[in-house]
Amino acid sequence: MNVPDQVSEGLAICQLRDVLDRVGDKWSVLIMAILGDGPRRYSELRRSIDGISQRMLTLTLRSLERDGLVIRTVTPSTPPRVDYELTPVGHTLSTEVGSLIKWSEQHREYISMSRRTFDAE
Amino acid sequence: MNVPDQVSEGLAICQLRDVLDRVGDKWSVLIMAILGDGPRRYSELRRSIDGISQRMLTLTLRSLERDGLVIRTVTPSTPPRVDYELTPVGHTLSTEVGSLIKWSEQHREYISMSRRTFDAE
DNA sequence: CGGAATCCGTTCCGATACTG
DNA sequence: CAGTATCGGAACGGATTCCG
């Protein structure tokens, strides 16, 4: 991966931090994974993601929209309707996340076994 | 990506959460990126990662060791010497992280531009 | 050198209540 | 339906001190 000696001064790593802050929070990837299947309404997202509060759903969607990863479309009807969908760039990140999901599926057992072994001491 | 309706009840997503919790914290990937280049001593890691506290370096390394991603080797000399290196599984995760780094390099400009546009309102 | 332990501010985020 | 606003507990993590 060719990491410079003073890593945090390397530009690549600063960028990495940005992405990890973007992707590493509690709900972002979950939302991106769902939107990877296609557009969803606000209420659909809420029902799909068990345990998310209204507050965090809104905050996370705003943040994704701000970063150009999600598009928000308001239909001013009564009741109002809001749809969310991935942007093209959002889709590419969603793909990266998918590869992380595969990794986690393949190594889940190894990790939980490692933890049990480690905790046994 | 084929995500089930009730996402959080899907096993895949729970695993994903595990990995993101693993990788998403402040220092883990940084450390894994450095160790991807080869083994390092505790003091080398400390110098390499600008801004990390002794506490967080130790905690993060312990957690990586617990998950079977890093191996800790103690040489009981005076002064003592401790080396850290990736396990084979640790290397595979390090590779995944590398792909995320690439993504972040390619879209950094897009994201910061999106933010400026969004914040202009 | 490589930690462990404590203290403590900040940030995160869930619960709740209210709104157009 | 799709938010916004406020509060308060919990967790994260930095600074400091002490130790074999």
Side-chain angles (χ1 to χ4, degrees):
Chain A
M1 217 174 316
N2 206 9
V3 174
D5 253 27
Q6 182 67 13
V7 159
S8 60
E9 288 179 1
L11 183 58
I13 295 296
C14 294
Q15 297 172 181
L16 173 60
R17 263 266 56 87
D18 288 348
V19 178
L20 289 172
D21 289 345
R22 162 71 288 161
V23 137
D25 74 313
K26 195 168 178 182
W27 303 109
S28 287
V29 285
L30 223 48
I31 291 175
M32 304 238 353
I34 297 174
L35 292 181
D37 264 8
R40 293 285 190 283
R41 297 185 56 169
Y42 182 88
S43 48
E44 291 179 311
L45 288 173
R46 238 198 124 178
R47 275 192 302 274
S48 295
I49 307 173
D50 184 55
I52 196 171
S53 64
Q54 211 165 18
R55 167 192 161 83
M56 286 317 295
L57 179 55
T58 300
L59 285 182
T60 306
L61 285 170
R62 277 300 173 273
S63 161
L64 290 170
E65 187 194 3
R66 176 171 182 256
D67 287 358
L69 301 173
V70 156
I71 293 178
R72 177 171 180 265
T73 311
V74 183
T75 307
S77 53
T78 45
R81 174 198 178 103
V82 181
D83 290 272
Y84 293 90
E85 62 184 315
L86 293 183
T87 63
V89 171
H91 268 291
T92 67
L93 180 53
S94 169
T95 301
E96 294 294 327
V97 168
S99 136
L100 257 194
I101 296 182
K102 274 188 204 131
W103 187 94
S104 62
E105 284 167 354
Q106 285 163 7
H107 300 95
R108 174 189 181 75
E109 193 49 44
Y110 170 83
I111 288 185
S112 75
M113 201 191 63
S114 295
R115 288 183 181 177
R116 278 195 298 273
T117 305
F118 186 91
D119 294 343
E121 271 96 78
Chain B
M1 218 176 315
N2 205 12
V3 174
D5 255 25
Q6 182 68 16
V7 160
S8 61
E9 287 180 2
L11 183 58
I13 296 297
C14 295
Q15 296 172 182
L16 174 59
R17 265 264 55 87
D18 288 348
V19 177
L20 289 170
D21 289 344
R22 160 72 288 159
V23 139
D25 73 314
K26 195 168 179 183
W27 304 108
S28 286
V29 285
L30 223 49
I31 291 175
M32 305 236 356
I34 298 174
L35 291 182
D37 264 7
R40 293 284 189 282
R41 296 186 57 169
Y42 181 87
S43 47
E44 289 178 315
L45 287 172
R46 239 199 122 177
R47 275 192 302 274
S48 295
I49 307 173
D50 185 54
I52 196 171
S53 63
Q54 213 167 18
R55 166 192 162 83
M56 287 315 295
L57 179 54
T58 300
L59 284 181
T60 306
L61 285 170
R62 275 303 171 270
S63 160
L64 290 170
E65 188 194 2
R66 176 172 182 255
D67 287 357
L69 301 172
V70 156
I71 294 179
R72 179 172 179 265
T73 310
V74 182
T75 306
S77 52
T78 46
R81 174 198 178 105
V82 181
D83 290 273
Y84 293 90
E85 62 184 316
L86 293 183
T87 64
V89 172
H91 269 290
T92 67
L93 180 53
S94 169
T95 301
E96 294 294 327
V97 168
S99 138
L100 257 193
I101 295 182
K102 274 188 204 131
W103 186 95
S104 63
E105 284 167 354
Q106 285 162 9
H107 300 95
R108 175 190 181 75
E109 194 48 42
Y110 170 83
I111 288 185
S112 76
M113 202 189 65
S114 296
R115 288 183 182 177
R116 277 195 299 272
T117 305
F118 186 91
D119 293 343
E121 269 96 80

